[in-house]
Every structure is written in C-alpha cells, then in structure tokens.
C-alpha cells in the first residue's frame, strides 16, 4: 500500500527528476508531486538506446501533473543543459531541494564486440549527466542551507548491474558502479550542509524490463517476475529519502523491489594476508592465497541470477 500523503510532506520543496517522464522516473515525479513538491521533469523522450528524442513525452507528463510541474526537454547529459535545468527550477519555483538522477540509456554488447561510441554515450548519459546536474545544483544547495532553507536531498538511481555485473553490460555496469563513487563523495562533500546523497538500485516493470530478450530459461523466469513489480514502490522509497525523516541517511546504497527494501554492503577489506618481509616467494603466496583469500572470493553471479526470486508485492 502507498503511504498516506501526510506521512512525508514535501510542501514547498522543488525537485529535479532526470528521466522523470517515463517508467521509474515518472513514478518518482508523480509521488514527489503528490507529496507537495514542485517538479522539473528533465526528460528528452529518447528511446531505450538514447535515440529519437521526443519533447512531447515530458510535456505530456508535466501537463498530467498540472500546476507545480515543468518539462525540460533538452538532453540532460551536457554541462550546459544540466545547468539550464537547475536554473529553470530556481527561476520557475524559487529554489532547488531534491535532485533525482534517474535518466539512463542502454547499449549492450559483449566486451569483445563493444563499440567505443556506445561506451561514450552510455557513460555520458548514465554517469556524467549526474555529475553535471550535481555540479550545477550543489552550489545552490549549499547557499540555500546557509540561508536557513531546509537541507536538500540527492538520490542517484543506480542498478544491481553496477554491483554484480551482467553479461554484455560493460558500459552500463561501469556507469552505474561509477554512480556509487559519486554518491559517497557527494555525501561527504555535502554533509556539512546537511544535504544527503544516497543511491537506489530499483527493480520495476518498465519499457526496459519489457524489452528484455531472455537468453535462457532462467532469464525468462526473471523477466516474468520483474514484470510483476510496479515502479511505485521505488517512488515511495525515493520520496522517503527526500523527506525530513531521512536527514541522517547518507552515503548508502539501497535496493527496492516491490515491498522489499535492501541495504547493500559496500566493498571493504574482508580478509588480510601479510606477506613475508623482503618480498614473497610465489609458492608461499600461493599457499597464503588459497588458504586465506580464495574461500572469500566473490562469485561471478550476475544480478539477474542474484535476484531471480519471487518479488513481494
Ligand atoms: N527498470 C528496472 O527494473 C531498472 C533496473 C535497474 C536500474 N534501473 C534504472 O532506473 C532508471 C529508470 O529506468 P526505467 O526502466 O524507468 O527506464 P526508461 O527508459 O523507461 O526511462 C528512462 C527515461 O530517461 C530519459 N532519458 C534518457 N536519456 C536522457 C537524457 N540524456 N536526457 C534526458 N532524459 C533522458 C528517457 O527519455 C526516459 O524517459 C534508470 O537509471 C535505469 O538504469 C531500472
């Protein structure tokens, strides 16, 4: 069940949601808006691969929301357009409080067939755009906090693919893993202003889930299960992270799949071996290695395998 509207009021807050006019982004825009926030929906209306921009997608979503919603239809993945989107939020609604970096594209290819141009496009949209938006928004968030406005909230939409990896997703997984580093550093840099920054790996039925072409039985099963999960659960959780109640939650990586909310661990040393003084002998190292480290190696399961269980909705 969706939480009651009075639970996390965002009255007077101004949000920028990239990719906010479709799928998970649209669910987030709707939820933040329903809780009282004004929204800039920054969505160029591109295909899953990032082609064929269509400004009517964001315009339609903004008019559906009505008052307190504004479309921004340029490609968000440049420093200039990111600055323009943030400036639009400030000019139209008087500030910027909530930033949700959600826009992403997919151009999958096995690494041995991958094209540099596809890599560049995915990294630009899925990682650099988040940096550009934050580079534009965070100076304002700091100034506003200094002036006594309630501290802002940043949510970066990552993916379990960035944590586990998945076949043929070198660019996508690298960009999504990059967002985790960005999340940690922004949480640190903005902590003194009271601004939080967290990452959320969503699981939800969208046009992207529908487009999965299963390569085997397990993937067919995964797709059927994933299609059972509406994106509103992710939206509810993102809205919580944007609320005053989440003031002490920062630098964390969550997952949301229906009613399940996961807190992901973050890489830390889990074993330590000390090499002998004066360099090491390979056979000695091999013993240390197999005895002390190999038992703790992380398996090569994909994210689809790791989450191929029935979602709770
Ligand atoms: N659907 C899932 O289960 C799932 C799983 C893991 C991660 N994610 C992540 O969740 C987010 C939303 O995914 P979705 O399934 O709703 O995707 P979607 O393709 O339905 O929506 C993405 C939106 O982003 C917009 N967009 C893309 N590039 C843009 C750009 N350069 N400028 C402006 N807008 C741009 C598109 O027009 C689109 O409306 C993405 O970050 C995705 O990687 C989704």
């Amino acid at each position: 069940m969706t939480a009651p509207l009075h639970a996390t009021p965002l009255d007077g807050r101004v949000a920028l949601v990239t990719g906010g006019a479709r799928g998970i982004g649209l669910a987030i825009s709707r939820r933040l808006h329903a809780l009282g926030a004004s929204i800039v929906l920054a969505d160029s209306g591109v295909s899953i691969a990032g082609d064929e921009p269509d400004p009517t997608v964001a315009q339609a979503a903004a008019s559906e929301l009505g008052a307190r919603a504004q479309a921004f239809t340029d490609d968000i993945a440049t420093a200039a357009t990111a600055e323009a989107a943030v400036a639009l939020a400030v000019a139209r609604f008087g500030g910027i409080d909530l930033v949700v970096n959600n826009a992403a594209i997919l151009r999958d290819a096995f690494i041995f067939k991958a094209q540099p141009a596809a890599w560049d496009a995915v990294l630009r949209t899925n990682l650099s755009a988040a940096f550009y938006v934050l580079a534009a928004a965070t100076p304002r968030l700091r100034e506003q906090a200094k002036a006594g406005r309630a501290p802002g909230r940043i949510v970066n939409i990552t993916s379990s693919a960035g944590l586990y990896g998945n076949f043929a997703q070198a660019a996508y997984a690298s960009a999504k893993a990059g967002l985790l580093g960005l999340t940690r550093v922004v949480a640190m840099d903005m902590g003194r202003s009271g601004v939080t920054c967290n990452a959320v790996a969503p699981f939800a039925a969208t046009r992207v889930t529908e487009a999965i072409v299963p390569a085997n039985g397990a993937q067919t099963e995964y797709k059927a299960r994933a299609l059972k999960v509406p994106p509103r659960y992710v939206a509810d959780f993102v809205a919580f992270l944007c609320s005053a109640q989440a003031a002490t939650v920062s630098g964390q990586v969550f997952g949301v799949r229906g009613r399940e909310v996961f807190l992901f661990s973050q890489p830390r040393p889990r074993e330590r071996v000390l090499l002998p003084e004066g360099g090491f002998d390979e056979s000695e190292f091999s013993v240390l290695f197999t005895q002390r480290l190999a038992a703790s190696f992380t398996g090569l399961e994909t994210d689809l395998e790791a989450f191929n269980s029935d979602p709770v909705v």
Side-chain angles (χ1 to χ4, degrees), residues 30 81 129 255:
R30 284 182 176 144
T81 51

Side-chain angles (χ1 to χ4, degrees), residues 208-234:
V208 181
T209 326
E210 278 162 20
I212 295 174
V213 181
N216 51 43
Q219 287 186 10
T220 307
E221 211 175 57
Y222 177 88
K223 181 176 174 178
R225 287 173 160 153
L227 286 173
K228 290 183 198 163
V229 188
R232 69 179 167 82
Y233 295 100
V234 177

Side-chain angles (χ1 to χ4, degrees), residues 24-302:
I24 292 167
L26 178 58
I28 293 170
S29 298
R30 284 182 176 144
R31 183 68 184 148
L32 299 182
H33 189 267
L35 292 171
S38 301
I39 317 276
V40 172
L41 301 96
D43 198 316
S44 54
V46 287
S47 67
I48 294 174
D51 304 314
E52 300 156 39
D54 177 0
T56 65
V57 175
Q59 286 157 359
S63 21
E64 173 210 301
L65 293 180
R68 293 185 285 109
Q70 167 77 51
F72 179 87
T73 59
D74 289 348
D75 172 0
I76 194 68
T78 75
T81 51
E83 166 61 31
V86 172
L88 175 65
V90 174
R92 174 82 207 272
F93 299 121
I96 175 94
D97 302 293
L98 319 173
V99 177
V100 183
N101 286 305
N102 164 82
I105 61 169
L106 274 170
R107 292 195 189 176
D108 292 356
F110 286 108
I111 188 64
F112 44 83
K113 291 185 178 170
Q115 299 296 322
W119 167 274
D120 289 346
V122 170
L123 269 285
R124 191 173 70 81
T125 302
N126 299 12
L127 179 57
S128 298
F131 164 75
Y132 295 141
V133 168
L134 294 177
T138 50
R140 275 123 164 159
L141 291 171
R142 284 185 80 213
E143 279 163 29
Q144 289 176 178
K146 275 188 204 152
R149 186 164 168 140
R153 302 277 181 261
I154 298 161
V155 180
N156 295 322
I157 302 297
T158 181
S159 169
S160 53
L163 296 157
Y164 287 78
N166 189 16
F167 293 108
Q169 292 202 311
Y172 182 78
S174 301
K176 293 297 189 180
L179 282 179
L180 303 178
L182 183 66
T183 298
R184 295 284 305 175
V185 173
V186 173
M188 291 170 189
D189 288 352
M190 296 303 289
R192 290 186 71 172
S193 303
V195 175
T196 66
C197 180
N198 292 286
V200 174
F203 299 83
T206 67
R207 64 175 182 163
V208 181
T209 326
E210 278 162 20
I212 295 174
V213 181
N216 51 43
Q219 287 186 10
T220 307
E221 211 175 57
Y222 177 88
K223 181 176 174 178
R225 287 173 160 153
L227 286 173
K228 290 183 198 163
V229 188
R232 69 179 167 82
Y233 295 100
V234 177
D236 286 350
F237 187 70
V238 169
F240 161 71
L241 290 178
C242 288
S243 71
Q245 284 90 329
T248 57
V249 184
S250 199
Q252 304 307 307
V253 184
F254 299 98
V256 182
R257 184 177 66 162
R259 287 164 50 208
E260 295 168 287
V261 173
F262 306 99
L263 172 67
F264 282 107
S265 58
Q266 300 184 36
R268 297 288 179 273
R270 62 195 273 187
E271 296 292 344
R272 173 175 177 264
V273 295
L274 202 55
L275 300 176
E277 245 179 89
F280 67 93
D281 160 309
E282 271 168 31
S283 61
E284 231 170 359
F285 189 60
S286 165
V287 171
L288 274 177
F289 202 75
T290 46
Q291 285 180 354
R292 298 283 305 282
L293 298 186
S296 299
F297 281 0
T298 303
L300 266 182
E301 67 176 340
T302 69

